[in-house]
Amino acid sequence: DTAVSQTPKYLVTQMGNDKSIKCEQNLGHDTMYWYKQDSKKFLKIMFSYNNKELIINETVPNRFSPKSPDKAHLNLHINSLELGDSAVYFCASSQDRGGGTDTQYFGPGTRLTVL
Amino acid sequence: SQQGEEDPQALSIQEGENATMNCSYKTSINNLQWYRQNSGRGLVHLILIRSNEREKHSGRLRVTLDTSKKSSSLLITASRAADTASYFCATDTGRRALTFGSGTRLQVQP
């Protein structure tokens, strides 16, 4: 009965490869997010989707492409991986009310290491 | 610098003591939230305080918000070793996502 799940938990790959991270939430939330946490623990928003529609696309390289097949899933595909992409990626979801951002529920994170 | 900045960056206390963490932000907010992150885990929501609220309690947690100073504090009373974690403040500025600070690492010594 995990609320927000991500797979895989760990991902080790070579530079130049393409990889995907999957995220699913069973909370019935309308909004899902991808965050990147760097080595200094700073957490930064990458994308947010509301009912499968892209709401926020922060200045993320277009090598990163989110895909939301339905409102319970938000996957992240990364092309041509670079060393600087190494980080922990968190998926989150929330049930926004009145345009505000309410409590967010986070997945366990995916630690990506690019060699 | 970031919208939310926590102070101190690291805090080490003895079990039973109180821990206070501060957060400052730059722009007006709808609400401010505090999250906890245990090592190697995802973030867990602790408490949300709206811009028209000044203080909120939840168990051993007490959060204050001063919108005139653009600051918030999180107080954990009677700390336990299990409270050891990183604590983040996050602000909702109406852009449909939270902006997180860099966190305070709390170490509670048994």
Side-chain angles (χ1 to χ4, degrees):
Chain A
D1 55 348
T2 304
V4 182
S5 59
Q6 292 178 231
T7 54
K9 189 168 173 61
Y10 300 96
L11 188 51
V12 181
T13 188
Q14 299 287 332
M15 274 178 56
N17 284 351
D18 303 338
K19 290 293 178 185
S20 293
I21 307 172
K22 295 185 176 181
C23 178
E24 176 181 1
Q25 55 96 3
N26 62 5
L27 298 166
H29 289 163
D30 291 330
T31 308
M32 296 184 71
Y33 312 82
W34 277 109
Y35 288 90
K36 178 181 180 180
Q37 186 173 44
D38 61 25
S39 57
K40 295 183 179 178
K41 302 300 183 186
F42 180 52
L43 202 69
K44 187 172 180 181
I45 183 71
M46 299 174 68
F47 302 101
S48 75
Y49 269 74
N50 181 270
N51 273 318
K52 303 195 298 174
E53 180 186 345
L54 180 65
I55 300 298
I56 287 180
N57 180 351
E58 288 292 284
T59 51
V60 177
N62 57 15
R63 298 181 296 103
F64 290 78
S65 53
K67 285 188 170 50
S68 183
D70 55 61
K71 76 172 195 176
H73 295 84
L74 181 61
N75 303 323
L76 184 64
H77 188 75
I78 315 170
N79 289 327
S80 304
L81 279 156
E82 300 177 357
L83 293 177
D85 297 333
S86 295
V88 182
Y89 292 84
F90 287 99
C91 177
S93 72
S94 68
Q95 185 63 44
D96 294 347
R97 300 180 181 84
T101 301
D102 217 323
T103 300
Q104 294 194 1
Y105 293 80
F106 282 78
T110 295
R111 181 175 294 276
L112 172 64
T113 303
V114 182
L115 304 175
Chain B
S1 56
Q2 296 94 34
Q3 159 74 339
E5 294 191 11
E6 285 90 341
D7 169 54
Q9 290 188 332
L11 180 61
S12 182
I13 59 174
Q14 297 293 318
E15 231 176 359
E17 293 180 341
N18 295 342
T20 299
M21 288 159 265
N22 302 298
C23 169
S24 59
Y25 57 92
K26 293 181 173 20
T27 61
S28 61
I29 61 172
N30 294 322
N31 66 64
L32 185 143
Q33 303 177 32
W34 285 91
Y35 287 79
R36 183 177 94 177
Q37 183 180 32
N38 288 80
S39 181
R41 308 289 290 273
L43 281 75
V44 175
H45 179 261
L46 294 175
I47 200 162
L48 181 154
I49 186 165
R50 302 198 184 278
S51 60
N52 60 353
E53 297 175 310
R54 292 296 166 259
E55 188 170 311
K56 210 160 181 183
H57 297 254
S58 176
R60 293 184 296 113
L61 306 180
R62 173 179 166 250
V63 168
T64 62
L65 178 64
D66 187 335
T67 53
S68 66
K69 295 181 178 177
K70 291 188 169 60
S71 67
S72 173
S73 68
L74 170 67
L75 168 68
I76 304 174
T77 60
S79 63
R80 305 167 182 168
D83 295 329
T84 294
S86 291
Y87 292 81
F88 295 86
C89 70
T91 52
D92 169 19
T93 59
R95 60 191 282 264
R96 305 294 293 276
L98 296 177
T99 302
F100 284 82
S102 55
T104 292
R105 292 188 312 279
L106 174 66
Q107 177 77 40
V108 180
Q109 308 284 354

